[in-house]
Amino acid sequence: MAAADRYGAAARPSRRPVSPADLKSRIARHIRRHGRLSVAAFMAMALHDPQSGYYARHEPLGRAGDFITAPEISQIFGELIGLWCADLWQRIGRPDPVILAELGPGRGALMQDFLRAAATLPPFRRALRLYLIEASPVLRAEQQRRLAAAEPQFVEGIEALPAGPLLVIANEFLDALPIRQLVRSRSEWAERLVALDQDGRLAWTDGPEIPGLSLLVPPALRQRPRGTVVEICPAAAALAMALGGRFARAPGAALFIDYGHFPSVPGPTLAALRHHRPVGVLDEPGDADLSAHVDFAAFADSARSAGAAVWGPVPQGRFLRALGAEARLASLTAGASPAQRALLDSGLRRLIDPAEMGNLFKVLALSSPGLPAPAGFTEASSAGDE
């Protein structure tokens, strides 16, 4: 989803739409002048260049876009997250006001459904102060249109959020944060870089072996054989530590839903998607979405080291079932037509079926220490539970 090159900095609106071919040529010029790019630097340019970047030019969601997310598939997803936050709000003492921040809100579908569910608990709905962190000017315009009644405030990152009790929602946000790829070489680790081949085309290459790079690799993966690739995400670690520190000082919680792995595993996962189909990562920067699987173990470790309690990750299907997804489906379909019933049923099944999104997508929560297990998690899941 729309993310930023750090942990929420929003791109400035483009004054003049520019073709992705222009971005590719500018990346090539940058490499000639300044040297090879890290994967993170390439992703930041491809996704967030203010004129030609993917999120400056595209509306990526939906059938006409490049991918579709859970809130676009079923209204039940956003409704249950709204009720999850309402329950958390009551656990932290029903503060009024409470900051509600969504990272990468897409087209606003999740928050629309969230607020509709929140309205069933009027004191909670009245207490909410909505803040949105979005990198795409195209999507920000749609969010403003859809959520105008909630009077959203747009900020450039979590550091710009007001002080006080905080609830954070992030669905498919972490996967779009820029990553670095480290490669095991003869005796040490090297960094995978973007360079130019003999014909001036973008190409992969490896930098020199640097002993210090091994410290960035999760300890369990450091002695892997030559050629092993490990992806790390400094931006995700920074976000986890910032939230962990805040939750250690003031009441709050955050819910992250994304696809990825737990525990940490090696292997490249960076991929490009255009019109719902995979394309080469280096083929057309600015014209395809880029994302990588989330290392939930590394994210959890960073948050925990900063003082937060960590819950999960648990599979998305299990989490939604625990929150009452199937009961909500039964309620929605009770008076529906056969066509509506089939659509509602297929949407939820896509979210919870282990063969579809139910296991690949995982849910992790951060909270202030001392709180009981949030809804959908157990005390055991505070150590991570598949």
Side-chain angles (χ1 to χ4, degrees):
M1 277 286 300
D5 62 330
R6 186 160 179 263
Y7 51 87
R12 297 295 191 272
S14 174
R15 294 181 178 178
R16 177 178 63 89
V18 184
S19 73
D22 177 79
L23 179 58
K24 182 185 281 189
S25 68
R26 285 195 288 119
I27 291 174
R29 286 198 302 272
H30 183 94
I31 292 172
R32 291 189 187 98
R33 293 173 182 172
H34 304 289
R36 300 171 294 184
L37 292 171
S38 68
V39 176
F42 170 78
M43 289 181 68
M45 294 179 73
L47 293 176
H48 302 293
D49 180 86
Q51 291 185 329
S52 310
Y54 179 75
Y55 286 117
R57 302 172 59 254
H58 290 265
E59 182 170 340
L61 295 167
R63 299 187 185 280
D66 296 311
F67 56 88
I68 190 167
T69 62
E72 307 281 338
I73 294 171
S74 173
Q75 70 182 73
I76 295 174
F77 185 82
E79 290 173 345
L80 293 181
I81 290 175
L83 296 177
W84 185 89
C85 280
D87 178 68
L88 226 301
W89 174 74
Q90 294 182 92
R91 293 171 187 238
I92 62 175
R94 301 167 65 94
D96 186 356
V98 59
I99 304 302
L100 170 63
E102 185 177 1
L103 313 184
R107 295 197 296 194
L110 187 157
M111 189 51 61
Q112 276 190 313
D113 297 332
F114 179 114
L115 294 173
R116 184 173 58 254
T120 63
L121 186 62
F124 174 58
R125 177 64 188 86
R126 288 193 298 269
L128 293 174
R129 303 296 183 269
L130 179 60
Y131 287 78
L132 304 178
I133 298 172
E134 176 58 64
S136 167
V138 177
L139 292 175
R140 283 204 304 272
E142 178 66 7
Q143 293 156 18
Q144 180 61 56
R145 186 188 69 81
R146 284 195 177 196
L147 302 171
E151 300 180 343
Q153 299 292 314
F154 290 87
V155 294
E156 294 195 351
I158 62 164
E159 71 285 351
L161 294 172
L166 173 66
L167 299 172
V168 176
I169 301 300
N171 178 58
E172 290 196 58
F173 178 83
L174 297 176
D175 64 274
L177 292 174
I179 62 161
R180 296 171 66 183
Q181 289 186 334
L182 306 181
V183 186
R184 176 73 175 183
S185 194
R186 283 189 177 90
S187 58
E188 302 290 349
W189 290 80
E191 184 156 11
R192 179 149 292 169
L193 303 169
V194 179
L196 299 177
D197 64 16
Q198 292 181 341
D199 297 319
R201 295 174 298 194
L202 299 178
W204 300 111
T205 189
D206 291 343
E209 293 185 47
I210 300 176
L213 287 179
S214 65
L215 298 177
L216 302 179
V217 178
L221 305 179
R222 288 176 187 169
Q223 301 307 315
R224 290 282 176 159
R226 184 177 179 180
T228 298
V229 175
V230 170
E231 293 174 337
I232 62 172
C233 188
L239 171 61
M241 293 184 71
L243 287 174
R246 177 158 177 162
F247 293 150
R249 299 187 302 269
L255 192 69
F256 289 88
I257 308 102
D258 227 310
Y259 55 91
H261 44 258
F262 184 92
S264 300
V265 297
T269 67
L270 178 63
L273 203 64
R274 185 181 182 192
H275 301 318
H276 302 270
R277 295 183 179 181
V279 296
V281 170
L282 301 180
D283 288 353
E284 293 295 340
D287 212 26
D289 180 54
L290 301 177
S291 64
H293 286 215
V294 175
D295 184 343
F296 282 100
F299 187 79
D301 286 345
S302 295
R304 193 179 291 112
S305 71
V310 180
W311 307 93
V314 297
Q316 176 178 279
R318 183 194 305 177
F319 178 76
L320 294 177
R321 283 192 174 99
L323 296 190
E326 288 163 322
R328 178 56 177 154
L329 175 66
S331 174
L332 287 171
T333 57
S337 68
Q340 291 171 326
R341 190 177 302 116
L343 187 63
L344 289 164
D345 184 71
S346 65
L348 182 60
R349 295 302 156 196
R350 186 172 174 183
L351 299 186
I352 66 177
D353 191 326
E356 297 200 49
M357 298 171 69
N359 278 353
L360 174 62
F361 280 75
K362 296 174 176 59
V363 185
L364 180 143
L366 312 178
S367 73
S368 297
L371 293 176
F377 299 92
T378 63
E379 294 293 340
S381 74
S382 63
D385 181 20
E386 288 282 3

